[in-house]
Amino acid sequence: MLLSKTCIYGLRASVLLAMRNEDQYVTIRELSDELEISFYFLTKVLQHMTKADILESYKGPNGGVRLAREAHEIRMMDVVKAIDGELSFKSCVMGQSECDMMNPCPLHSKWVELQTKMTSIMNGTTIEGLAKEMKGRSVKTLLEN
Amino acid sequence: MLLSKTCIYGLRASVLLAMRNEDQYVTIRELSDELEISFYFLTKVLQHMTKADILESYKGPNGGVRLAREAHEIRMMDVVKAIDGELSFKSCVMGQSECDMMNPCPLHSKWVELQTKMTSIMNGTTIEGLAKEMKGRSVKTLLEN
DNA sequence: TTAATAAAAGACAAAATAGTCTTGATTCTT
DNA sequence: AAGAATCAAGACTATTTTGTCTTTTATTAA
Ligand code: SF4
Ligand code: SF4
């Protein structure tokens, strides 16, 4: 599995926010209901995204969360980095941490290809892009389960 | 992380066995010492591989494990399937289980590309291939850590 | 100013993964 | 036959990830 569940939840929530295309705050309860994710857990996930300036939050009545930037300015990569961390893409696809790059393992070049492909997908895909493709579908369809 | 640690340990052990290029059994203790993996844990991992007919084991003095087939007949994929299970490659790269394929999510086609690439790497790489490239290096280099 | 609303923060619980150890079953050597 | 070597199997522990709940803080509205 490439992305953690945390990460997938974050993506789905941001796509849902983008689909609404409103400036108003949406409560996390509303998001968790629609996505059928645990409210408590989603709250945690979105806190990361708020800290990473992908979302803005507001407390109190009529409060909630909303995208901090235009949906077309938020790349999938931004969400992934905000949640799984900067490192998750600098390190080996296999999850290894320290390797002697002067003497890489026999799989290195192939893994790098994979990594490159994945990176380019995530950089080339914006939340807006995902949201557009989702129009007319249930949001559950985005990385459901 | 794409592969579990279990899986990586299994790969490393089988490459080490292939590098020895002997017909004799090698004790798990020897393998775990050289790979610097917990002996107990490696034992578990290799048990899976023995059940999957990738390794043969023999008890008692001069016993141990050895490759059940020629190293060039064992694909990386065989090891991965034996340990992480058949399903780990039929399912979504994202780790999702059930999706409506008539109505896939916006990322599906791109994930499939990734999956295809990964599958072809694993099918196209044999234990012998890895072992040859490792000659003259420390086996620790294969997916070290 | 008080009560209600909603996120933030932190404590707690459950599940999945990784790792350790003990006992039992074979096989060899003497 | 006895004892040592070695894998098999299962119980047990530790860590990480995922999920739940409670308390605190900020904000609005009456
Ligand atoms: S050398 Fe191998 S283990 Fe190290 S980063 Fe490259 S692919 Fe990963
Ligand atoms: S539709 Fe999306 S979630 Fe489902 S298998 Fe394809 S990529 Fe994975």
Side-chain angles (χ1 to χ4, degrees):
Chain A
M1 166 157 12
L2 269 85
L3 300 177
S4 63
K5 281 199 163 187
T6 324
C7 202
I8 290 172
Y9 293 166
L11 281 171
R12 291 178 59 204
S14 50
V15 170
L16 182 48
L17 284 169
M19 286 172 71
R20 296 241 176 162
N21 199 27
E22 297 165 358
D23 279 344
Q24 289 170 350
Y25 291 104
V26 179
T27 66
I28 299 178
R29 176 70 68 183
E30 238 183 297
L31 295 173
S32 70
D33 281 352
E34 187 147 1
L35 296 169
E36 293 178 34
I37 298 174
S38 146
F39 163 74
Y40 296 120
F41 197 58
L42 187 59
T43 296
K44 291 287 175 209
V45 176
L46 299 193
Q47 276 174 22
H48 284 293
M49 293 172 65
T50 302
K51 279 179 189 159
D53 287 320
I54 292 173
L55 300 183
E56 286 173 347
S57 67
Y58 209 77
K59 292 176 183 170
N62 306 318
V65 295
R66 68 180 178 197
L67 297 180
R69 289 173 268 154
E70 298 286 328
H72 71 266
E73 292 176 307
I74 304 174
R75 296 167 304 166
M76 194 177 159
M77 178 64 92
D78 299 327
V79 177
V80 173
K81 277 186 178 171
I83 295 172
D84 281 354
E86 189 78 25
L87 292 148
S88 73
F89 273 90
K90 292 197 173 167
S91 61
C92 171
V93 216
M94 308 283 291
Q96 305 316 304
S97 47
E98 20 178 337
C99 279
D100 177 4
M101 280 311 160
M102 292 298 102
N103 200 19
C105 89
L107 287 169
H108 187 73
S109 64
K110 286 170 182 168
W111 289 141
V112 168
E113 281 182 48
L114 262 185
Q115 193 172 23
T116 304
K117 185 157 208 137
M118 194 155 48
T119 304
S120 90
I121 290 173
M122 298 209 182
N123 275 325
T125 307
T126 67
I127 297 301
E128 185 187 42
L130 289 173
K132 274 187 181 157
E133 291 195 61
M134 291 299 290
K135 289 274 183 195
R137 302 187 202 171
S138 160
V139 199
K140 287 203 299 171
T141 322
L142 178 64
L143 300 172
E144 185 171 15
N145 191 343
Chain B
M1 166 159 10
L2 269 83
L3 300 178
S4 62
K5 281 199 163 186
T6 323
C7 202
I8 290 171
Y9 293 166
L11 280 171
R12 291 178 59 202
S14 50
V15 170
L16 182 49
L17 285 169
M19 285 172 72
R20 297 243 176 161
N21 198 27
E22 296 166 356
D23 280 345
Q24 288 170 352
Y25 292 102
V26 179
T27 66
I28 299 177
R29 176 70 68 181
E30 240 182 296
L31 295 173
S32 70
D33 281 352
E34 188 147 3
L35 297 170
E36 293 178 35
I37 299 173
S38 145
F39 163 74
Y40 296 121
F41 197 57
L42 187 59
T43 297
K44 290 289 176 207
V45 176
L46 300 192
Q47 277 173 20
H48 284 294
M49 293 172 66
T50 303
K51 279 179 189 158
D53 286 320
I54 291 173
L55 301 182
E56 287 172 344
S57 69
Y58 207 78
K59 290 175 184 172
N62 305 317
V65 295
R66 68 180 179 197
L67 297 179
R69 289 173 269 153
E70 298 285 329
H72 70 265
E73 292 175 308
I74 304 175
R75 297 167 304 167
M76 196 177 159
M77 179 64 93
D78 299 328
V79 177
V80 173
K81 278 187 178 172
I83 295 172
D84 280 354
E86 189 78 27
L87 292 148
S88 73
F89 273 90
K90 293 197 171 167
S91 61
C92 171
V93 215
M94 307 283 291
Q96 306 315 304
S97 47
E98 18 176 339
C99 280
D100 177 3
M101 281 311 160
M102 294 297 100
N103 200 22
C105 89
L107 288 168
H108 187 74
S109 64
K110 286 170 183 169
W111 290 142
V112 169
E113 280 181 50
L114 263 184
Q115 192 172 25
T116 304
K117 184 154 207 139
M118 194 157 45
T119 305
S120 90
I121 290 174
M122 298 209 182
N123 274 326
T125 307
T126 67
I127 297 301
E128 185 187 42
L130 290 173
K132 273 185 181 159
E133 290 195 63
M134 292 299 290
K135 288 274 183 194
R137 300 187 204 172
S138 158
V139 199
K140 287 203 297 171
T141 323
L142 177 63
L143 300 171
E144 185 169 14
N145 187 349

